[in-house]
Amino acid sequence: MHFRKLIDATCLAAEDFVDAEFRPVERTLTIKAVTKSKPPAGGKEKACFHFQETEKTAFLANGEVKKIASMLRRGDTDQWIGASLVITSAPKKFAG
């Protein structure tokens, strides 16, 4: 069994953007909706992205949301629906 099946996650994480050897891979995801809600870990409400290709959501930081708005040249998140984002993760280093 792959370890990802052991993790009951509702949000996208860095592990969703690596291959079997933990090398970063790019995934293209299409925006289905953008809402504002609290992440599962609690805290303040944040931008929550829903995608067509997965049931998992992504909570993005304000800087990332501003970058997407700039790249799409649209301030209204309703106009972001259908746009494709290419997402990857940075390699992680672990001690021990």
Side-chain angles (χ1 to χ4, degrees):
M1 174 187 311
H2 198 278
F3 82 94
R4 289 185 189 126
K5 292 184 179 179
L6 299 172
I7 301 170
D8 183 26
T10 58
C11 297
L12 289 169
E15 291 81 21
D16 293 304
F17 301 93
V18 295
D19 64 13
E21 285 78 38
F22 292 95
R23 293 182 299 239
V25 296
E26 291 182 343
R27 287 182 64 188
T28 301
L29 299 174
T30 308
I31 298 173
K32 180 168 59 174
V34 181
T35 60
K36 190 171 183 179
S37 59
K38 284 188 178 186
K44 292 183 177 182
E45 287 188 332
K46 296 177 76 172
C48 180
F49 284 70
H50 306 264
F51 301 101
Q52 293 178 5
E53 293 81 5
T54 181
E55 290 297 316
K56 290 185 176 185
T57 58
F59 287 88
L60 301 181
N62 291 340
E64 295 167 324
V65 175
K66 290 176 185 177
K67 182 69 174 176
I68 291 169
S70 176
M71 289 175 17
L72 296 177
R73 298 179 185 214
R74 301 275 186 266
D76 185 352
T77 59
D78 289 338
Q79 295 178 349
W80 298 2
I81 296 170
S84 295
L85 301 178
V86 178
I87 303 173
T88 190
S89 70
K92 291 189 174 190
K93 294 182 182 180
F94 297 95

